[in-house]
Each structure stands twice: as C-alpha cells, then as structure tokens.
Amino acid sequence: MSRAFRPRSLQEAVALLGDPELGAVPVAGCTDLMVLDHAMRRSHRAVVDLLGLAELRGIRWAEGGGSAGGPVVEIGAASTFSAIRADPLVRMHLPILAEAAATIGAWQIQNRATIGGNLANASPAADSAPVLLALDAELVLVGPAGERVVPYRSFHLGYRKTLLAPGELIARIRVPVPVPGTRQRFHKVGTRQAQAISKVVLAMCCRREPDGLLRGVRFGVGSVAPVPRRLRGAEQACEGRPAGAATAERAAAAAAAEVHPIDDVRSTAAYRREVLARLVRRMVLELAADAG
Amino acid sequence: MASTAAPPGAVGKSPPRPDGPAKVTGATRYVDDLALPGMWHGATVRCPYPAARLLRLDPAPALAADPEVVVLTARDLPGPNVIQLIADDWPVLAAERVNHACEPVALVAAPTRARALAAAARVVVEAEELPAVLTLDEALRGDPRAGGQQPLVLAACTVERGDVEAGLAGADLIIEGSYETGHQEHIYIETHGAIGIWHGEEAGLEVIGSLQCPYYVHKALVRLFGLPPERVRVRQAPTGGGFGGKEDFPNVICAHAALLSRRCGRPVKIVYDRHEDIIATTKRHPSRVRHRTGVRRDGTLVAQDIEVLLDGGAYVTLSPVVLSRAVLHAGGPYRCPNVRIRGRVLATNTPPNGAFRGFGAPQTQFAAERHMDRIARALGLDPLAIRERNAYRPGDVTPTGQRLDASTNALECLRAAAERTRFRERWRAIERERARGRPDDGQPWQGIGLALVWHGSGFTGDGERRLGARAGVRLLPGGRLEVLAASTDFGQGTSAVFCQLVADAAGVPLEQVQVHEPDTAAVPDSGPTVASRTVMIVGGVLQRAAAQLRARLLAFAAERAGLKAERLRLVGGQVLDPQDRVVASFAELADAYLAAGGEASWIAQHQPPPEIRFDEKTYQGTAYPAYGWCCDVVEVRVDPDTLAVRPERVTIAADVGRAIHPVLCAGQLEGGTLQALAWGYLEEIKLERGRYLNDRLQTYIIPTVLDTPDMETILIENPTPASPSGAKGVGELPMDCGAPAIVAAIENATGIAVHALPASPERLLEARRAGQVVQPQHAGA
C-alpha cells in the first residue's frame, strides 16, 4: 500500500522527501510517472504531491534575478505547460518556450504536466530542455542542505541521470531575458502532427550585431544523445560569422559531427543526424533571410 | 395523387443511426463495463521466446502468494487443444512447443483484475529457447518446423490465364519490380474482451464478447467443450471497432474466458489492456510481391507474372483465404491477356497474422499500383494515361475467366477523381518543376499522386454458396419488425442500413424496424461480418425475408377485407386499396395477424445464381459476385529538410453500386482512406527477436485529427445486378487505395521512389541515399 502526502509548504515537502524511512518520490502532474509505473508494473512506497505548493508556482519578472545580473523570467517548477504557453511574459520574451510548451503531449497533458517534472524526468526527448539550453537558463534547487543555483547546461549527467541530490527538488527555473533583437527559433520533428514524441528537437538563440555578425549563438538539441545538450561545435561555427549560406553549411556539418544519435523505435540514427544538420542549416539561413 | 407515385423510402437517405444516442451519451455498455454477480477476472501467462520447448509451468508461487487464484494450463482442457478456424494448428494454450513470442501458456483467474495480473506474473514458465524463423528471408532459407531445408508453407495458390512466357517474349519491354509491406495493427478503440459464463453441463456455456463473428466463436466453443450446439450461446456485446481484428482472435479470448469460467464455476471476464492487445493479437500480413510485366510501347499490358509472398506468422489462422484474395486482386484493375499469379504464405515465429480490412488485397494492390507507376515512367507516360489504357471495361475478362458485368466503373472513378483535381496538369507541372531544379531554401514541396483499385464484394469463390447465409425478420406486436441476423455492427453502421433495407422491403416506416442483438440462441447464421458482404449479401437476404412478410400480411389483409391480395399495397405503414384508401394500418393488421396465431418469423437463405461458379482447384470462374472500384488522388506537402509528409487533401471517387445510407457510406470511405494512408506513410511495427517493439500507443503511431487531410468523396452509383439493392461492398475498398496513392504523391514531390511501406521520413532518406530516385518526366504538354 502506498502513502500519499500533500505538504503545505516547500519546507515540509523537502523534509518528507529527505526522510529515508519514508522512501517517498516527488510527484507533480504525474504524466510521465504514471505511464512508467503502469508499463513497469511498479509502485512507490510513498509519494509527495508538489502540485499545490505556492512556492513552486507562478511566472514572474525578476530584476537582477540571475547570476549574470540581468533581468530574468522566473518560472515556478510546478508551472504547467498550459500556464507557460499562455503566460504573457513567456510569450513576449521567451516565445520558443511557449512554442515548445504547445507541442508537448495533448492539451490534457499540458494541463497537468509541469516544467520541473519535464526536466527532472530527464528524458533525452524532453521538448522544454533544448529551449532552456538555448536560453541558458539556471535552476534553483532546494534540498535538505538548503538552496543552490546551477546552470541548466550542467544539470544532466547521463541518460536519465541528473545532479539532483537525494531529496532535492527543482524549485524554480530562471531564464535570462534575452536582449532586444535576439532571435529565437524552435523546431520539433515528431512522429506526427500532434501528441508526438520528438525524433529531433532543436532550439536556437542568437543575436545579429549591427555589423551583420552572429553573437551569443546557442543551440540546444534533444533526442540525438543520451541527454539534452548544447551544440558547441555548431555554435562556434556561427559565432562572429556573418549569417549566410557558408556559415549555415559549416554549422550543419559541425552539428552532424558532434552528436551520437541511436536507432530506436521512433527513428534511426542516420535520420536524426541528417535532419539535425538540415535544421541547423535552415535556422541559420533564416537568420540571413530575416535581415532582408 | 397518382397511385403509381412511390412514397419516399428509407434507402438512399441518411437517417440517424439507432446506436448513436447511447454511444454519444456514454450509455452503451461494452464488455469492460459489464459486471455480473460473482464475476472473476482472468489474465494470461505468456512465454517470451519466439520458439521454445516448454519444460515446466509452475503455478506454486502464484498460489502461495494468493491461494484463492485459479491457474489453468493445456492439461485442463475439456476437448482438443485447437482454436477452430481453417487448420488445426493453433493451440488454445501452448502445450509443448511455443511458436511465437507472447504465446499463451496458462490462464489465471482471481476475484479482481489486479490479483489476476499479479498471479499471472508469478507463474513460472521454464522453457528452452529453440532456433526461430523471424523474417520472410529466414523462412525461405528453411524452417525447422518443416525439416530445416525449406519454408513451412501455410497456404499456396495460383491463378493462370493465357501464356505468360509467350506474352513476355512478345512484349516491347519487360519491367520488373519488388514491393514490400509491413505489419499493421487494427487499433480498434475497444481492445479485445470477453466474459465466459459456465451454467453447468446441462445448461451449457454462454459467452459475451467484443466480436465480429458470433457463429465462428460458437463453432470453436462447441468443439473445445464437446457440447451440443444448442448448449453453447454466443452474444455480441456492443463492439468498439473491429477492422477484421475481431474476426479471428475472439475465438481465442472467448475460449480462454469460457475455460476459466468452467473451472471457477462463476463468470470470468478477460479484457486486454492496449499493450497486451498489441503484443498478442493478429496483425495484417507483411508481404513481398514481385512483378515481371510485359508491355507494348503504347503502355498496353501484354503479360503479368506476379509472385506473392505473405508472412503468416506462427499459425494458419485465416491465411489461405487472405492469400486467395491477395492473389485474385494482385493484377490490379487492369485487363491483360496473359497472367500468372503465384502466391504462398510462409510461417515465421512471430505472432499469427490474420484478418485486417482488405484481407490481402491492400498488400498486392500496393505492389500493382506502384508497379504501374514504374511502367508509366519507363514508357514516358503519366500515371493517368497508363491506367486509362489498361483499366477494365465492362465485358473484359479477369484472370479467373470472369467476364465483368455492366457495373464495372474503373474508368469512371479514375476520370472523376482526375478531373476534380486537375490531376494531369498538376502532376506534370510538378514533374517539370523538379526537372528545372528547386531552390534549397526549406520551402515545402508539393506532390500529387493517384491509385486505382478494385475490391471483390462478398466471400471469395464459392464461399457464399457453401455458407448459405440465413437471416430474417420477425413481426412484433404493434407492427414492429425485428431484424434477425448474426451480422454485427462494430461501428460500420450495419444496424442502420439493415433497418433501411427492411423498412422499404416490408413497406413500413423506418421507425418500426429494430435489430435484434446478435445472439446465436436467437438469430440464424447470416455468416461472419467480413469481406464487405454484409450489405450486399445479408442485406439482400433480409430484403427477401421482408418481402415475404409483406406478401403474407397483404394476403391476410385481403382475406379480412374480402379483396384479392394483389389489389392491396403496403405503403408507409398503411394498407391501401386500389383507390388509395386506407384499409388498415400495418400496426392493426400485424396485431390481428399475430392474434390469429400466424407465423411471426420469416427466414430467408442466400442462393447465388447457379451460373455463378468458382473452381477452387483451377482458380477459374466467378471469383466475386461484384466488384467495387475506387480511385484516390492524394495531395501531399513534404518538408525538404525533414522529409516529413503531410497529406493535405484526398479526393476519393468510388463506385459502390448503390449507397443505401450515403453518410455512412462516405464515412466508410473516409475512415478506410485514412487507415490506408497511415499504413502508407505512418504506421510501422519494428520487431526484435520476433517481438513487436511498437507495442503501445506511445510508439505505434496512428494519425490524429491534425494528421488527417481534407477529404472529398465522389460516390458513383451504378447498381450491381448481384444484389437486390444494387449495393456493393464498401468497407474494405478504400483500404486498398490510399497507400499506393500517397506514395505516388511523395514520389511526385520528392522524386524518391519508395517500394516498401511505410514511406516514413526515415525510409525516404534511406531510399534517396540508396539512389532510388526517379528522373522527372517533362516530356509532353
């Protein structure tokens, strides 16, 4: 028989999760957890429901909220994708996050699934992950030892392994507000038009300086490696270069060379590598086209 | 008012379906909703290996953990360990040898479903894995079950007409091609389920199931339990979809539920969850079809040499009949004087394949249609021209020697769909555009493609004669009529259409007619609900029975009124005299008739005309009483970077003979087309060690509404003389057409020629890299 707890505060939740006797797992929307429980015929000794915790909800503007000192959009980890896709701050400043949120599962899933759960579940195909990598987000983690802030890019350690310590939770996600003129792109290649899991999911963020050169280029990609990851090679191929066909081709080749996708039930390694390269190329070409 | 003015009948209109309100409001109770007093739940123990020798089944751990549960193995069967279908090779529970992954080896019953599943997981299955045959290629190299040097052939047949070798020798050009299709899962909304109710040796056995063919299950249970037929009763619960998947497999799950019930002495229900339903039940046969075709330079076919291979999976199931239909449709809807079609079904150690909408014809017509496009390109013809030249006309002769009747509308369908879409102009424009070269700028590529197919309605060959379908009508108080047939409605709208046909034939308003629940204790055997036969064959039998009822009641009315029966008419529920005066209402008349002790049921039997004969040995004669014809034009958009395909619009021109209920008829065409498109580009099952990897809805991808193109249906009505209503089968026809049409459209858009389904983005990329690219056709206007 499992036990379920609905703590009234984040502090209480952390205490429950830190109790080794209890052996509790944190749950929010349960949209991944229950599917896995059913498939693996597993059950849990205890669950702690995070969905009702006020400290984990809400999307707000915070001046100087990030490590870099600029303004951030701070997203409670228990924010649902429905809330994220509808949020005016997200839509204005982080449009690719709203776009990604709108492609996750069905509406019913978006009504329950949370962004913190999406990250903690640590699927390499998580659609919010590449976006948060491209936007260089930070995570505020809370655990028995208190609060700590980590860059999201260092969060995933291996296939479904994260740096969350036992009993530790994602509390908030801080996304630096991109400076005006920053270009953001998102492209999901799913198995069909809706309710699809990604074969390849790519996000990009960069600035085009007055001299026409690309700066601050970040690509985040999912489903081509054991973890969601940045494309450092493709970023370097673009950084400080003019947007255009030559840069696009170089970035595409770099992207194809730096990922290690696999054959699985959804797609093939060959397809993922090829399509990733084509999408990187397309995004860079579109930057050039944007400039008219 | 002129007495000849026919009142408007029900046929040809689209009244609401009788089962609609309960389904929409959620009141319909499916097997999973039914709870009987004292009912337990069953679960199945499966062996994971594709081929194995069973060493030991040990229920002890299950019984130790939960002493109340019941475990049953092949040793506990009351009769032969055989699932009754065509051959006797399919065991109810594997006893010594396991021949496919997930084969049932034991059954468990418990007071709750959770306890049954937990107990099933605790039954120990010890087995020694044996060498397995997992693909058609491995089967061809030799099957241990057939001695190891040759394939295990589950069925074989050949159709021959003219002299193929002479035809090929005299051809201007010989074109060869090989085409493959994979498994397809039905994904009916409701998974398989059944309740077994053992009433004791005297009272016998009752089964309620989600099924298409009550009398198939009845026959299987009579044999397994050794009971007289009248002590076995099979009832169809409201059924949420079948698509052929509930033709063969209910024989298995109903037997399992019944065995558990007999053992427990209480009702036992088994309902599969989606995962179990996918791993354990039948699929569409994978196929490989080779064509060698001789043509003249103008595109005229002179010889077709075709070899059909189907992967039957572990057991025979319905494979001989699937193969028969596959072979008979393999040439496509085209006349050709010299034809040889050889077909075989080979065994593999994969779960048995069985009935699926189209029943072999979609596989062979995918090959035929792709091959026609290949021939056209080789000759510099467009897809329309090659088909116009070769499509069957009335009077043409098929490979079995059947002369096609006046209801042969291949050309009409082809032209209707092509004209509506300006096919030729647009197809050529895209070919020219590909020839000129397009900028590599991420702009989507458009493509348009077509396919033309035929589909025989009703059982193949002499099947209807052997079966002799029986169905009828019963008169109830108040002048209500009840349809008595074992034909099931699992979503197609059979009940609505039966009511329409009976209402008009009897001369009563539609509201007066209802359908009796398919129940072997209450309705005659009208045959299985398969093969696009229900409206055409069973509908015809019902019309005859209803006409007999009408004649008998008019005779009764005439007796009472002192008139001659032929002077009275029954129209819209009123008996009218020659002056159109109402003599009696049908309701009064029926009550008086019943009060006088008149016979209340009229049962008629199907009798094919004697000149319709088919020789199963030579494969010559009338293969089907009628053929439906269909042309799809599919328009797609392809992303040049991801090769993702979006079907945007489909135009379906179909000759259905007569649309009894045009809305349901179009619904069958649209639903079947979507299922066919998805088989063509989306749905795929990958296997690993003989086990399906796409074994849940997360990984078995069916289209959502966003993947569904706009559809336009053009109904071409040219009644067939083969049925009283003029209707031909429509259920399976669209399943043959969508896949080759969408693959043709993808070829037009991308130049990539795909010869194996599905044409997924991964396969398109692979084909392009392998050089399977066609040259654009840019000759001509």
Side-chain angles (χ1 to χ4, degrees):
Chain A
M1 191 64 78
S2 326
R3 303 168 70 188
F5 296 89
R6 178 163 283 172
R8 275 156 305 209
S9 69
L10 183 56
Q11 195 184 1
E12 194 187 333
V14 167
L16 286 166
L17 290 167
D19 180 353
E21 295 296 303
L22 212 52
V25 297
V27 302
C30 296
T31 53
D32 281 315
L33 185 97
M34 288 177 76
V35 173
L36 272 178
D37 287 355
H38 182 73
M40 297 168 70
R41 297 215 172 142
R42 72 175 187 195
S43 56
H44 307 282
R45 282 164 59 198
V47 295
V48 175
D49 179 15
L50 307 178
L51 214 49
L53 293 176
E55 298 98 314
L56 301 186
R57 303 205 76 141
I59 299 171
R60 64 191 186 91
W61 180 275
E63 285 298 340
S67 304
V72 300
V73 175
E74 193 171 77
I75 301 168
S79 301
T80 64
F81 287 112
S82 296
I84 290 168
R85 71 182 284 192
D87 185 83
L89 279 178
V90 172
R91 293 168 73 96
M92 174 169 298
H93 298 287
L94 316 171
I96 54 175
L97 184 57
E99 206 179 322
T103 71
I104 292 170
W107 282 6
Q108 291 91 331
I109 296 289
Q110 292 166 19
N111 284 340
R112 286 201 59 86
T114 63
I115 190 165
N118 200 216
L119 301 182
N121 183 56
S123 160
D127 290 319
S128 67
V131 171
L132 296 178
L133 288 170
L135 293 169
D136 207 21
E138 291 176 337
L139 305 182
V140 180
L141 310 182
V142 181
E147 222 178 69
R148 60 174 173 148
V149 177
V150 300
Y152 175 56
R153 61 179 179 274
S154 60
F155 180 72
H156 296 285
L157 304 179
Y159 179 71
R160 291 197 179 253
K161 267 183 65 184
T162 71
L163 51 64
L164 282 174
E168 200 173 30
L169 295 172
I170 303 171
R172 294 181 297 283
I173 295 132
R174 289 180 182 158
V175 188
V177 175
V179 300
T182 300
R183 311 293 170 81
Q184 301 180 33
R185 296 277 176 201
F186 175 78
H187 196 113
K188 169 172 172 169
V189 183
T191 46
R192 62 184 163 203
Q193 297 301 325
Q195 298 197 35
I197 300 178
S198 291
K199 296 172 175 180
V200 176
V201 53
L202 179 67
M204 186 203 66
C205 194
C206 83
R207 299 189 309 276
R208 202 152 175 261
E209 299 290 314
D211 57 8
L213 302 183
L214 301 175
R215 299 285 180 194
V217 183
R218 284 188 300 271
F219 286 103
V221 66
S223 282
V224 295
V227 295
R229 52 163 289 176
R230 292 268 293 270
L231 295 174
R232 302 284 187 178
E235 291 170 5
Q236 276 164 26
C238 296
E239 193 67 35
R241 308 267 179 178
T247 304
E249 299 294 346
R250 239 195 339 271
E258 67 187 303
V259 295
H260 304 283
I262 55 166
D263 289 340
D264 67 9
V265 72
R266 279 197 300 282
S267 190
T268 63
Y271 178 80
R272 289 178 157 123
R273 190 187 301 275
E274 165 84 9
V275 166
L276 172 64
R278 295 291 302 180
L279 291 178
V280 166
R281 177 182 172 279
R282 186 193 282 189
M283 284 185 180
V284 178
L285 284 177
E286 281 170 357
L287 286 175
D290 280 356
Chain B
M1 191 172 90
S3 61
T4 52
V11 167
K13 300 198 181 101
S14 297
R17 49 196 295 172
D19 53 329
K23 283 181 174 164
V24 171
T25 56
T28 302
R29 287 157 69 79
Y30 297 89
V31 169
D32 197 34
D33 303 316
L34 299 175
L36 304 181
M39 185 177 79
W40 277 21
H41 297 263
T44 311
V45 180
R46 301 178 184 280
C47 178
Y49 305 123
R53 196 161 61 85
L54 273 182
L55 301 175
R56 196 168 67 98
L57 289 173
D58 185 3
L63 295 169
D66 191 346
E68 218 183 336
V69 302
V70 164
V71 181
L72 185 154
T73 70
R75 289 186 197 158
D76 305 307
L77 304 187
N81 189 2
V82 167
I83 295 294
Q84 165 74 39
L85 277 168
I86 291 173
D88 283 350
D89 63 336
W90 196 2
V92 178
L93 293 168
E96 287 153 22
R97 220 197 116 100
V98 165
N99 286 311
H100 67 84
C102 306
E103 183 158 7
V105 294
L107 301 168
V108 174
T112 68
R113 187 153 191 272
R115 282 168 68 185
L117 288 170
R122 290 193 185 100
V123 173
V124 175
V125 182
E126 256 181 53
E128 175 196 358
E129 203 174 347
L130 299 174
V133 168
L134 300 176
T135 63
L136 277 176
D137 281 320
E138 288 177 24
L140 286 166
R141 284 200 287 275
D143 189 322
R145 282 200 281 166
Q149 302 304 307
Q150 57 195 10
L152 178 57
V153 179
L154 300 180
C157 68
T158 299
V159 181
E160 219 162 348
R161 175 165 183 259
D163 183 338
V164 166
E165 294 305 334
L168 289 169
D172 291 335
L173 199 64
I174 294 175
I175 294 165
E176 298 186 45
S178 178
Y179 308 90
E180 293 185 18
T181 64
H183 288 94
Q184 186 179 23
E185 160 57 36
H186 309 83
I187 311 284
Y188 21 65
I189 294 177
E190 182 202 17
T191 55
H192 277 281
I195 303 173
I197 310 161
W198 178 255
H199 295 296
E201 287 295 334
E202 285 312 304
L205 173 66
E206 178 182 348
V207 166
I208 304 171
S210 175
L211 47 87
Q212 290 179 220
C213 311
Y215 275 95
Y216 276 8
V217 175
H218 183 262
K219 194 172 175 186
L221 294 176
V222 163
R223 183 160 179 210
L224 176 61
F225 286 86
L227 289 169
E230 65 277 10
R231 279 193 224 160
V232 174
R233 177 180 182 191
V234 177
R235 298 164 61 193
Q236 183 224 7
T239 297
F243 308 108
K246 291 173 183 168
E247 174 173 357
D248 40 30
F249 196 82
N251 285 19
V252 177
I253 192 169
C254 290
H256 287 176
L259 286 167
L260 285 171
S261 174
R262 178 172 168 274
R263 178 65 177 273
C264 300
R266 51 173 75 242
V268 176
K269 173 157 85 176
I270 304 178
V271 174
Y272 290 167
D273 69 7
R274 183 64 66 181
H275 173 62
E276 186 169 25
D277 195 279
I278 295 179
I279 60 170
T281 72
T282 52
K283 305 280 175 285
R284 183 184 299 288
H285 292 68
S287 74
R288 179 184 298 162
V289 181
R290 289 214 170 86
H291 277 252
R292 194 160 62 112
T293 308
V295 290
R296 286 209 291 265
R297 293 226 175 275
D298 65 3
T300 307
L301 301 180
V302 295
Q304 288 177 302
D305 187 16
I306 304 171
E307 191 194 339
V308 178
L309 277 185
L310 299 181
D311 175 349
Y315 300 114
V316 171
T317 67
L318 299 167
S319 286
V321 201
V322 174
L323 179 69
S324 188
R325 192 174 277 273
V327 159
L328 290 166
H329 289 80
Y334 305 108
R335 51 192 186 185
C336 181
N338 305 294
V339 181
R340 179 171 62 203
I341 308 166
R342 291 175 288 194
R344 283 186 297 169
V345 183
L346 307 186
T348 58
N349 293 111
T350 60
N353 296 311
F356 197 135
R357 192 180 205 168
F359 214 67
Q363 290 95 315
T364 51
Q365 296 202 78
F366 168 70
E369 283 304 278
R370 292 309 297 138
H371 197 61
M372 286 304 275
D373 284 345
R374 180 178 281 193
I375 293 168
R377 284 193 184 275
L379 295 171
L381 296 171
D382 69 40
L384 192 52
I386 186 96
R387 288 171 173 83
E388 279 177 324
R389 177 162 295 279
N390 293 291
Y392 279 130
R393 277 78 166 163
D396 280 341
V397 177
T398 71
T400 67
Q402 177 175 357
R403 188 167 295 281
L404 293 170
D405 63 26
S407 182
T408 297
N409 297 289
L411 271 180
E412 285 75 2
C413 292
L414 183 64
R415 286 178 177 151
E419 279 165 23
R420 182 66 59 102
T421 55
R422 295 185 295 116
F423 175 82
R424 174 168 278 143
E425 179 190 333
R426 292 168 64 200
W427 186 87
R428 287 184 172 176
I430 294 169
E431 292 285 317
R432 280 196 300 272
E433 197 180 288
R434 267 200 1 264
R436 280 198 305 271
R438 295 171 292 201
D440 188 3
D441 60 358
Q443 287 305 304
W445 295 333
Q446 307 291 329
I448 188 167
L450 67 71
L452 179 67
V453 299
W454 60 333
H455 198 94
S457 308
F459 273 154
T460 301
D462 271 353
E464 293 295 348
R465 184 183 310 282
R466 278 199 303 275
L467 174 71
R470 293 167 65 245
V473 183
R474 177 187 291 144
L475 182 64
L476 303 177
R480 297 191 62 79
L481 302 184
E482 189 172 43
V483 174
L484 304 175
S487 306
T488 50
D489 193 336
F490 39 93
Q492 335 87 299
T494 309
S495 343
V497 172
F498 277 177
C499 290
Q500 290 175 283
L501 290 171
V502 165
D504 282 10
V508 304
L510 182 65
E511 306 73 55
Q512 290 290 97
V513 188
Q514 65 200 52
V515 174
H516 192 287
E517 163 203 4
D519 174 350
T520 58
V523 299
D525 185 1
S526 58
T529 309
V530 303
S532 307
R533 62 183 290 277
T534 300
V535 173
M536 185 173 99
I537 304 285
V538 184
V541 175
L542 287 172
Q543 285 175 290
R544 283 196 13 238
Q548 287 164 15
L549 173 150
R550 175 189 196 138
R552 183 67 194 89
L553 271 106
L554 282 176
F556 179 75
E559 254 170 62
R560 287 210 310 169
L563 289 163
K564 284 191 169 150
E566 56 268 26
R567 297 181 56 95
L568 297 180
R569 295 181 305 129
L570 180 47
V571 173
Q574 308 282 358
V575 180
L576 306 180
D577 71 7
Q579 286 75 47
D580 277 349
R581 288 181 307 229
V582 175
V583 175
S585 80
F586 184 70
E588 294 161 17
L589 183 64
D591 285 342
Y593 173 84
L594 291 172
E599 172 60 51
S601 293
W602 285 263
I603 306 292
Q605 183 160 23
H606 181 59
Q607 285 162 335
E611 69 277 10
I612 294 185
R613 282 287 178 183
F614 187 76
D615 185 330
E616 309 245 324
K617 292 201 174 62
T618 60
Y619 263 67
Q620 289 295 303
T622 303
Y624 298 95
Y627 295 89
W629 310 88
C630 184
C631 177
D632 283 353
V633 172
V634 174
E635 297 160 54
V636 297
R637 195 172 71 190
V638 181
D639 183 313
D641 289 321
T642 65
L643 299 176
V645 173
R646 275 193 92 150
E648 296 205 294
R649 190 173 170 77
V650 183
T651 305
I652 308 158
D655 166 26
V656 299
R658 176 107 193 264
I660 307 299
H661 188 299
V663 166
L664 285 172
C665 182
Q668 283 287 302
L669 290 168
E670 290 173 8
T673 298
L674 183 61
Q675 200 164 31
L677 293 174
W679 180 56
Y681 85 107
L682 196 62
E683 294 181 28
E684 180 167 26
I685 292 186
K686 297 178 184 173
L687 286 95
E688 189 176 77
R689 295 291 307 147
R691 207 188 150 101
Y692 306 135
L693 291 179
N694 310 63
D695 58 3
R696 49 194 73 240
L697 285 177
Q698 188 187 51
T699 49
Y700 189 81
I701 304 299
I702 59 168
T704 68
V705 71
L706 287 187
D707 301 283
T708 304
D710 292 337
M711 294 196 198
E712 182 183 3
T713 300
I714 303 167
L715 290 178
I716 292 171
E717 296 187 74
N718 182 355
T720 173
S723 83
S725 65
K728 304 192 265 197
V730 68
E732 297 174 283
L733 178 64
M735 188 70 224
D736 296 349
C737 208
I742 192 171
V743 174
I746 293 169
E747 183 177 291
N748 182 235
T750 64
I752 304 171
V754 170
H755 309 308
L757 292 185
S760 61
E762 287 80 5
R763 189 162 270 135
L764 288 168
L765 177 66
E766 202 181 304
R768 186 168 69 189
R769 287 182 170 176
Q772 291 175 31
V773 176
V774 294
Q775 288 308 307
Q777 198 182 94
H778 50 94

